[in-house]
Amino acid sequence: TDVYQPHLVVALIGSAITFINGLFLVVLRFERRSGAVVAANVGALALTTGLVFWMIFSLKLGVMAPLAATLAAQALMCAILGFSARHLIGAAISRTELTLQLRFGFGAVCIGAAYYVLSSVDRFLLNRFATLEEVGKLRDEGSQIGVRHREPACPQARCAERL
């Protein structure tokens, strides 16, 4: 609804800035500046927490408070991380690095495209050749099989299960 449009916009902008911060953090880790990485994460957590409480109790923003607080904290963190990594940001293109990234990226793009094609074909085939009742029965059978053959994902879970 239109009531939540500002919430959605703030959440999307905050998510985009968080993604950029993740890139800055990876670059700083590669530069072995783990102190800056830890300080940025702890600072963002403390700032976000403080802003959430202030926006909920003083400004009475309700649901918007955690979204706006996250956006503000991530924007400040982005500015600080950008300043910290400013010497690493440039317009030059490394042909060696570009070749390596394209080789990796091409495979990832092919795998992603294949996943979406298979997912779309699955839905198309179910819509074309099955009724809604048959799809429900198929889903129910699949879930029953999954429940019967549930296996813990890690060895620690198996040990804990035996206790």
Side-chain angles (χ1 to χ4, degrees):
T1 64
D2 292 336
V3 175
Y4 292 108
Q5 183 180 3
H7 298 77
L8 183 61
V9 169
V10 169
L12 289 174
I13 293 170
S15 177
I17 293 173
T18 301
F19 175 76
I20 293 169
N21 287 344
L23 294 176
F24 280 138
L25 291 171
V26 167
V27 167
L28 290 174
R29 279 189 199 108
F30 284 150
E31 290 289 311
R32 297 181 185 202
R33 294 180 58 194
S34 57
V37 171
V38 171
N41 282 318
V42 170
L45 178 65
L47 182 62
T48 302
T49 305
L51 286 174
V52 166
F53 282 117
W54 177 63
M55 289 179 176
I56 286 177
F57 296 118
S58 295
L59 299 179
K60 309 272 191 233
L61 288 182
V63 176
M64 179 63 97
L67 301 172
T70 301
L71 174 61
Q74 291 297 322
L76 179 64
M77 186 175 156
C78 188
I80 292 169
L81 290 173
F83 183 77
S84 296
R86 69 187 181 283
H87 66 281
L88 301 169
I89 301 170
I93 295 175
S94 166
R95 291 184 189 269
T96 308
E97 187 66 27
L98 183 63
T99 305
L100 289 171
Q101 294 298 326
L102 284 177
R103 274 193 254 151
F104 171 76
F106 182 72
V109 167
C110 290
I111 290 170
Y115 169 78
Y116 286 115
V117 166
L118 289 174
S119 178
S120 298
V121 167
D122 182 41
R123 290 181 186 165
F124 171 75
L125 292 176
L126 285 174
N127 285 338
R128 176 81 168 98
F129 297 111
T131 65
L132 191 57
E133 183 179 341
E134 292 170 336
V135 171
K137 287 180 183 178
L138 181 65
R139 183 190 173 282
D140 187 46
E141 288 297 319
S143 116
Q144 290 297 320
I145 291 170
V147 168
R148 285 188 208 124
H149 298 290
R150 189 174 62 101
E151 187 69 27
C154 62
Q156 293 84 2
R158 289 189 195 115
C159 293
E161 210 173 63
R162 291 183 190 142
L163 297 176

